[in-house]
Amino acid sequence: MKITKISTFIVPPRWCFLKIETDEGVVGWGEPIVEGRAHSVAAAVDELADYLVGKDPRNIEDHWTILYRGGFYRGGAIHMSALAGIDQALWDIKGKSLGVPVHQLLGGAVRESIRVYSWIGGDRPADTAAAAKNAVARGFTAVKMNGTEELQFIDSYDKVELTLANVQAVREAVGPNIGIGVDFHGRVHKPMAKVLIKELEPYKLMFIEEPVLSENSEALKEIAHLTSTPIALGERLYSRWDFKRILSEGYVDIIQPDVSHAGGITETRKIAAMAEAYDVALALHCPLGPIALASCLQVDAGSYNAFIQEQSLGIHYNESNDLLDYVKDKNVFAYEDGYVKIPQGPGLGIEINEEYVKQRAEVGHRWRNPIWRHKDGSFAEW
């Protein structure tokens, strides 16, 4: 079997899909994306394709090694996301060619389904209590919300009070047994993170996500001792080498690599195993499309330390298209009682509606992160 062609499709709302074709007619799909940099990732895929065309797609570990180590400059968001989408598609091809789901090729499943959570609210937390009640009514047993709006390095206490009021409203709306994740989204600098994380303790949160930016991880040494709430981090880390320090220093309880950012199934599987050795839980990041979610679920299936999965159905970013629009079988992600079943079809376990992908690729997108500013005019982390 030989790779004959690699194509990318920029599709709404903010995604990039990848298709690898072979001379035996077996096709694989991947989702290489950095939100807000879709065209940059597609260009990186095109560059990496020079090596792959003509190769046997089934030699995944060797291809990953060459595509990572074969360039003098390596790693980072664009490179690792391009590699991630390619890697997903290669696993999809291998599973399809053998007639088994990817997780069977990774040693088999340790679970049949995994708990999922629903995003509530938007970029600025508001009306989250009503959204939380709606999510619980739809069967979810866990939700995640943005914790704050803009915060200066040192800010006024009314911003803290607003965060506490929003979280308290959600807790009161859903009761004591629904998991609540609060995402600081890297918006909070260390001085205010120390205040917020201590004040949020009474609400018995499922986790606090990105209490500080990943590049400021040394701040976790101070923050971790202020709370019993699990700390989650990792969507902006892209390889096992990025996670090495985070895990060895022991200040994170949950890691959140993204299978479309962190080198694909091959690399994320290794990161998950590293985390298990440190008794750290896995909650894969995935506010993305159906190929990314299917890839996450194949990793979740065989990762003992996976405990919950992010998914984008109904998320506030999905205005023009949603998670299920691009798959032929709308029931392939079988949600029930707050869980989703691991797809059992060959490869990634989903069938992409290629005609619809091509149709929406004609529309495309140029999604960009919002740019926020503080009252004084200086840049604010989004």
Side-chain angles (χ1 to χ4, degrees):
M1 188 187 298
K2 303 295 182 187
I3 296 171
T4 57
K5 187 178 180 181
I6 300 177
S7 309
T8 53
F9 306 89
I10 307 294
V11 295
R14 55 177 192 159
W15 303 331
C16 176
F17 294 167
L18 173 152
K19 176 187 175 187
I20 296 182
E21 300 174 56
T22 69
D23 60 355
E24 294 187 12
V26 184
V27 171
W29 288 88
E31 192 169 331
I33 185 64
V34 173
E35 300 91 303
R37 298 289 185 269
H39 292 81
S40 300
V41 177
V45 168
D46 183 62
E47 292 175 339
L48 296 175
D50 291 346
Y51 171 79
L52 285 170
V53 172
K55 301 291 194 303
D56 186 333
R58 294 167 295 190
N59 298 329
I60 299 173
E61 189 70 32
D62 187 61
H63 294 331
W64 197 99
T65 300
I66 297 301
L67 295 178
Y68 178 78
R69 296 182 182 273
F72 186 79
Y73 301 99
R74 57 188 70 162
I78 302 299
H79 179 201
M80 297 305 286
S81 297
L83 178 50
I86 290 170
D87 182 80
Q88 293 165 4
L90 294 177
W91 279 109
D92 196 26
I93 289 170
K94 191 157 190 172
K96 287 174 178 175
S97 69
L98 296 171
V100 297
V102 167
H103 64 260
Q104 287 293 348
L105 303 176
L106 298 173
V110 300
R111 59 176 52 83
E112 298 174 351
S113 61
I114 189 165
R115 191 181 183 195
V116 289
Y117 64 79
S118 175
W119 263 95
I120 54 173
D123 283 336
R124 296 180 182 278
D127 299 324
T128 44
K133 290 186 75 170
N134 179 265
V136 172
R138 289 184 286 127
F140 289 97
T141 62
V143 297
K144 187 170 82 173
M145 60 186 286
N146 276 313
T148 70
E149 299 191 2
E150 304 94 326
L151 277 183
Q152 281 278 15
F153 274 82
I154 305 293
D155 217 319
S156 56
Y157 207 81
D158 61 332
K159 299 280 188 70
V160 177
E161 294 281 7
L162 180 59
T163 296
L164 300 179
N166 286 333
V167 174
Q168 181 175 346
V170 172
R171 177 53 77 203
E172 291 176 350
V174 301
N177 297 319
I178 298 297
I180 302 174
V182 173
D183 189 357
F184 284 13
H185 216 253
R187 298 172 182 172
V188 186
H189 299 281
K190 183 178 75 169
M192 295 306 295
K194 290 166 65 176
V195 175
L196 278 169
I197 207 164
K198 191 172 183 179
E199 293 284 0
L200 285 167
E201 181 82 5
Y203 300 105
K204 297 179 171 59
L205 301 177
M206 181 171 62
F207 58 77
I208 289 174
E209 180 173 336
E210 275 197 327
V212 291
L213 287 164
S214 297
E215 54 261 41
N216 298 327
S217 61
E218 67 282 348
L220 297 175
K221 295 177 183 179
E222 296 179 49
I223 293 169
H225 297 299
L226 300 175
T227 183
S228 62
T229 302
I231 293 173
L233 183 146
E235 69 191 63
R236 289 187 256 199
L237 301 175
Y238 309 111
S239 71
R240 73 199 91 148
W241 297 280
D242 290 345
F243 278 94
K244 182 166 61 172
R245 179 184 170 200
I246 292 292
L247 291 169
S248 65
E249 293 189 351
Y251 297 108
V252 171
D253 306 290
I254 303 162
I255 60 161
Q256 300 172 303
D258 188 310
V259 183
S260 281
H261 295 160
I265 291 170
T266 297
E267 184 70 354
T268 307
R269 169 84 167 172
K270 294 174 182 178
I271 294 167
M274 286 173 61
E276 185 182 347
Y278 285 95
D279 208 23
V280 168
L282 179 73
L284 295 175
H285 180 258
C286 190
L288 300 171
I291 307 169
L293 178 58
S295 299
C296 285
L297 294 175
Q298 297 299 328
V299 174
D300 289 328
S303 299
Y304 174 71
N305 52 337
F307 82 101
I308 201 164
Q309 177 61 58
E310 182 174 23
Q311 51 82 49
S312 73
L313 190 63
I315 197 172
H316 50 287
Y317 301 117
N318 297 353
E319 294 180 355
S320 53
N321 279 103
D322 211 333
L323 179 69
L324 302 177
D325 292 348
Y326 294 100
V327 294
K328 289 186 176 180
D329 179 5
K330 307 298 184 187
N331 298 311
V332 67
F333 300 118
Y335 294 91
E336 185 177 355
D337 298 329
Y339 285 72
V340 65
K341 291 188 181 299
I342 306 298
Q344 297 298 317
L348 295 179
I350 62 172
E351 189 175 358
I352 295 297
N353 185 340
E354 185 173 347
E355 290 306 312
Y356 187 68
V357 169
K358 290 178 177 177
Q359 177 186 330
R360 296 303 287 160
E362 293 180 4
V363 177
H365 70 82
R366 293 188 69 83
W367 188 87
R368 296 291 184 266
N369 291 0
I371 300 299
W372 287 3
R373 293 188 180 275
H374 292 296
K375 190 174 181 179
D376 64 4
S378 63
F379 175 80
E381 293 284 356
W382 168 72

